[in-house]
Amino acid sequence: MALKRTPLYQWHVDHGAHMVEFAGFEMPLYYNSIKEEHLNVREGAGLFDISHMGELLIYGPEAFDFLQYATTNDVGRLKRGQAQYTLLLNEAGGIIDDAILYKLDDDRFMLVVNAANTEKDFNWLNHLAKGFNVDIEDVSDQMALIAIQGPRAQAILSKLSETDLFQIPYYHFVVGAISGFPNVIISNTGYTGSGGFELYMAPGYAKYIWEELLHEGKDEGLVPVGLGARDTLRLEMGYRLYGNDMDESTSPLEAGLNWVVHYDKDFVGREALLKQKEEGFTRRLRGFVVEDRLIPRKGYEIVDREGTPVGTVTSGGFGYSINKVIGMGYIDRAALKNKSDLFLKARNRTAQIKLSKLPFYKDSPFVKNK
Amino acid sequence: MNIPDDLLYTQDHEWIRVESQGDKQVGVVGITDYAQSQLGDIVFVDVNTVGETLSQQEIFGTIEAVKTVADLFMPVSGKVVEFNEQLRDKPELINQDPYGEGWIIKVELTNPEELNSLLSAEQYKQLIGEEG
């Protein structure tokens, strides 16, 4: 199958991006340096093309009831103009996807899903929708998505926006014009922990808005940022990545995502989760710091002092803002309970790891308990 | 892609520059511009073989980049006499200057004839042309 391209593909290539395959798309991994792009987002601002993300429109008289059933978070808490992080589960309580749900209107929602899962989610939701008066439309190809993130993001975006961005709280959005282009969803959300906005727009606007933002942000240090730094930034925040830190074999209880599960409603996977709560579960996603010059990679084993396997790495990398080697992985709760010494087993080497509370990056404006 | 004419190359993307020091032949070894661009941001360079005598194609160290980890192979047999200590704190020198400040080890050659088995700049260009 041919790889898909975003409307900004040619721009990335023309500007020297190192392109890689990701979720069926040709995407920029970095332009110049992952480290510099990472630090630029933390200290100034960065611009991301994340148009590969999937967007599903869900609308109709029973859209609300349907979404209460199909997703784990409480859709009843969403006001128009608000968004929430949520999960899709299967009947066994395994995570089909994590997503952001936008309430566009009382009977109209947008679910933003992982690119690799768009088709799977669309089919799954259609399967669940039998018996509901609801329509589901995959509009991924009709939408580009640009994120501007970092402490300077709001000031830069303000120059191109008629909307007062201070009026948009975290996890809220408005539909407005950017640089004169109408109907852009301006959403105060992101995947970096450094604040900023995500902009959903018609694909035809993407290149113009992208270039206008870079132009306006030049003096503020705005640079394009690839998926490499997007990964190190999200890892420092302990944000889970679907396909690495969770999948259909892991439950929200194991993945530490129980906070987005609202049990006071009927939803797919509820019975399985209640059962798992009652009977207990054996492993838990935890963050850790490696006390050696060894980068944890997905699939590396975590062992105890005797060398017995007690876990598996799901994500890892260097945290440029905290200057530490960090990772996440599933670890047996028995080993956690016993406070066993834990070690990372990689290739022909072993290094001790220390469990760490998430997020690793405590200077984020979103960290309350520093 | 920068591929200097005065170096010799391996299939594994190391380069070597050989100088005569008295009756000894000493080679400076690093990885190519192509290799560093494929690896992306380098986070650590680990070389624990200083003082050891290794054969051609033996592993003398490891490079950890953001996205991947790669072994470093001896271009020729010899004794590892020096590691570029600057790389401990500044591994990015390999990204910035792979043939200069980003050199990795110095090797005292034990079998200089092996140099004949290495690739010229022209041959290396063809190799990465095929890979690219």
Side-chain angles (χ1 to χ4, degrees), chain A residues 221-274:
Chain A
L222 180 69
V223 298
V225 179
L227 294 184
R230 184 169 158 84
D231 191 49
T232 54
L233 288 160
R234 71 93 195 166
L235 181 62
E236 280 187 338
M237 286 305 289
Y239 293 152
R240 282 73 165 158
L241 173 64
Y242 194 87
N244 279 48
D245 309 308
M246 55 188 161
D247 57 31
E248 289 183 36
S249 74
T250 55
S251 81
L253 293 164
E254 295 169 321
L257 293 174
N258 202 40
W259 61 279
V260 285
V261 183
H262 184 72
Y263 289 92
D264 296 336
K265 64 165 191 172
D266 184 31
F267 62 89
V268 181
R270 181 172 180 272
E271 296 312 311
L273 291 190
L274 288 174

Side-chain angles (χ1 to χ4, degrees), chain B residues 56-67:
Chain B
Q56 189 176 29
Q57 287 185 3
E58 259 196 273
I59 293 170
F60 70 86
T62 305
I63 284 188
E64 293 256 19
V66 175
K67 284 286 142 198

